[in-house]
Structure formats: structure tokens, C-alpha cells
Amino acid sequence: MADKNQEVMDKVISLCKRRGFVFQGSEIYGGLAGTWDYGPLGVALKNNIKNLWWNKFVENREDMFGVDAAIIMNPKVWEASGHVSGFVDPTEDGKQFNVMFKTAVGAGEEAIDSYLRPETAQGMFVNFKNVVDAFHPKLPFGLAQIGKAFRNEISPRDFIFRVREFEQMEIEYFVQEKDWKDFFENWREQMFDWMKEIGLPKSSIHELEVPDGDRAHYSKRTIDFEFDFPFGRKELYGLAYRTDFDLKNHSDSSGVALEYFDEESGERFSPHVIEPTFGVDRTVLAILSSAYTEDELGGEKRNYLKLSKNIAPIKAAVFPLLKNKPELVEKAREIYMMLKKDIPQIVFDDNGNIGKRYRRQDEIGTPVCITVDFDTLGEKPELADTVTVRDRDTGEQKRVAIKDLIKEIST
Ligand code: GAP
């Protein structure tokens, strides 16, 4: 079993490189442990994930406020947050090692030591007052951020699972203390909704109630959403009840009260926080490893990525049946240009034979392939202005009118 899983992992890593999803960081110099670079298809997949997330959790709601804070913050942030003293992992010989990346800001005598942020969360806590003053939101409301985080992990491993530079999509949702349990439950469900939306199989997701002593220093309750990765069941996302720990500590350290004024009760207080957190790179890995499928189609072995349409990096590929027939190429390019205006993630391909093109698109998870043939041009008059549309998963083909293609691709 373990070997089989390692084999799947190796196949996914090799596909990622071959097809341009993920490359080793600084590869020509032998790489740098814990860093990976996203290629054209990886960027597209990642952007689709981030856009879908932003759309769902920020733009489609009235209670969420987006921020994009600086990665390098005043070092006092990390003292107040508890990361300077508490964000440590044991090294092999038993010493505690702080996994924050240190950096110097400024030159010479003026330079101060700070850190690259190990979580995006603090960028939201320090902007709590700015958002409250500018927008006067009523509780409950949330701040959301997508961005890079850095951790000098002692042993980075498992491809893009544990890396030193990664991306997080995080929400700090502010509530009254008495309501924390309800909102914790509510966010738990929303996280499941999200995982369903991006096509992760429910049977591969497992909740872990993190016991006392194992939780992060700021958390009173944490659920980890673990996923069956090829290398085992490991943390994909987390949901934490951070209490008023962060706002209180930043109020105390900065001298700026990070409080909410409740008009009804006339009270001023630091709200409590529910924090759903989503790693982008682990999302990519969960999606790719669960979408990787091998089967037989028309008597031939193939492998393909069974990606949901909403996150597939390429939504459709357009082909002329034959490369050496200018009238087919011209018509195919015309259809491609027309579709690309509405759906930018479309490609044109006339390389190799049609079977090879299908396999190439299957391997990167393109949901449909559109082929222009002589019937499109009217060889059979009743089929004029129609094309074949091939489904990635079944390989089945049907004729669709050119004018209906946008609907066909987007639904
Ligand atoms: N603000 C809360 C927080 O940062 P965390 O559990 O330490 O909590 C949140 O990290 C998420 O970030 C994880 O669930 C995971 O998806 C991702 N993550 C954490 N460390 C990572 C690493 N070294 N490589 C890739 N992703 C990582």
C-alpha cells in the first residue's frame, strides 16, 4: 500500500514538472530545500483557487473585509503575538528552534531585526481598528487575506506539503464571546462547503479535535481538517478559536485599544475570534493527488486529472482535425478567438495527431476538447457550424452548435 501511494506521489510530481504545474525552486542551481516554483498551469490553478475563495468568502458577502498587509511587520507584532517566544519546533538534538525567518530592515546602525510573517493572521489583527474606523461594521464581521507566509521548517518534505515559503487564505471572524460556539460550528460547515466546491472527496477528509497541549499557543479550541494525501493522513486546513488573545495583546503592547463599541449595550470590548485557515499549496496538492486517475479508454491506458471545471487551469482546448488543412485551421482559430473573449482559459492546439492532443489535455485536466472537422465547414450540410465536443472523463463525443459552445463549456 505504502509503495503504491509513493508511486502515485511520484507520478503526480512528475506530471507537475512535465506539464508545467510545479518546478523545483532554483532548479538549475540544484534547488533550495523547501521551495517550489509554480509554472504556467500551476499559477492558473492557484489563481482559480484563490479567486474562487475570495469570491465565496469576501465578495459574495456583506460581513467580510479584505486586506493585503505587508509581509514584513514591526517586530513588536511578533513579540505581542507570542511568536517570538512560542513559535518553536524541537530540532533533532532537543533544542527549541524558532521557525520564523529573520531579516534586517534598513542599513547600518539604523537597521532593525524583523521577521517574514509566519502567518497572514497578524496583518489582520493590526488592521482591526483601521477597518472598524473606516467602515463601522457591526459584529459579527470578518477580515480576510490571501498572501505569502514563511516558516524556516526544520525538515521540509512531501513536495509542496511542507515548505518554507507558502501561501495562506485566512479569515479572522470577530464575534461576541457568548456566540463563539455557534460561529465555530457555522465556519466548520462553511469549510466543508468549500472543500466540496473544489471537488475534494468527502471520504478523504477527516476532522481531528486537537487535544489540550497540542494546540497553538493562542487557541482554546482547534479542529484540523486532515486529508488523505498519498503519503498519509495530514493536516490540510485548520479552524481555531483564538479568543480575544491577539486583540488584547496588541492593545496592551501598542497602547492602542483594539475594541468594538456596541451601541445597544453601550459596552466597549475586544471581540473574540474564530479563525478558518486554508493553505493554498496544500489545497493544490490535495486537488492534484485526488484528481490523478488512471484508466483505459478505447483499449488504451491513459492518465488524467479529474479536476472540477471551476478550478481547471484550462477550461477547453480547440483543435483543427488536421493540421495541414488551412481551412480547418482557420476555422478552429476563429472559434478559439471567439471563445477566448468570454473564457480566457482556452488553448488552441494543432500539434501532433488528435489522439495525442486529447491525451495531453486529459493529463492537465481540461474538461472538454473541441474539434473542428470538415462537417463544421458544411461537408454534411446538416452539420454545418457544429463541432465535436469531447468529454475528458468518458471520452464521449457529441456535436454542438458553435453558437452554444460558451454555454456548453461554462455549465
Ligand atoms: N493563522 C493560523 C495558522 O497559521 P497553521 O495551522 O500554523 O495556522 C495554517 O497554518 C495553514 O497553513 C495550515 O493548515 C496549512 O494549510 C498551511 N501551512 C502551514 N505550514 C505550512 C508549510 N510549512 N507548508 C505549506 N503549508 C503550510
Side-chain angles (χ1 to χ4, degrees), residues 83 87 118-122 151 153 160-168 170 172 216 218 224 235-238 240 242 275 277-283:
H83 284 81
F87 207 55
E119 61 169 3
T120 62
Q122 299 304 326
R151 295 183 192 177
E153 298 282 358
I160 52 174
F161 177 80
R162 186 177 306 285
V163 288
R164 291 183 167 140
E165 173 175 345
F166 56 100
E167 258 181 305
Q168 294 183 320
E170 293 200 300
E172 307 305 325
Y218 48 72
D224 281 349
E235 176 187 338
L236 170 63
Y237 299 146
R242 287 182 87 128
E275 180 195 64
T277 178
F278 308 71
V280 177
D281 312 77
R282 288 188 190 178
T283 307

Side-chain angles (χ1 to χ4, degrees), residues 25 57 117 140 154 393 403 409:
F57 291 120
R117 66 182 179 203
I154 294 164
D393 301 351
K403 65 176 171 44
I409 299 168

Side-chain angles (χ1 to χ4, degrees), residues 72-76 78 101-105 112-116:
I72 304 172
M73 304 174 79
N74 189 308
K76 288 177 184 159
W78 305 109
F101 270 102
K102 247 198 192 142
T103 188
V105 184
I112 54 164
D113 284 338
S114 190
Y115 305 92
L116 305 185

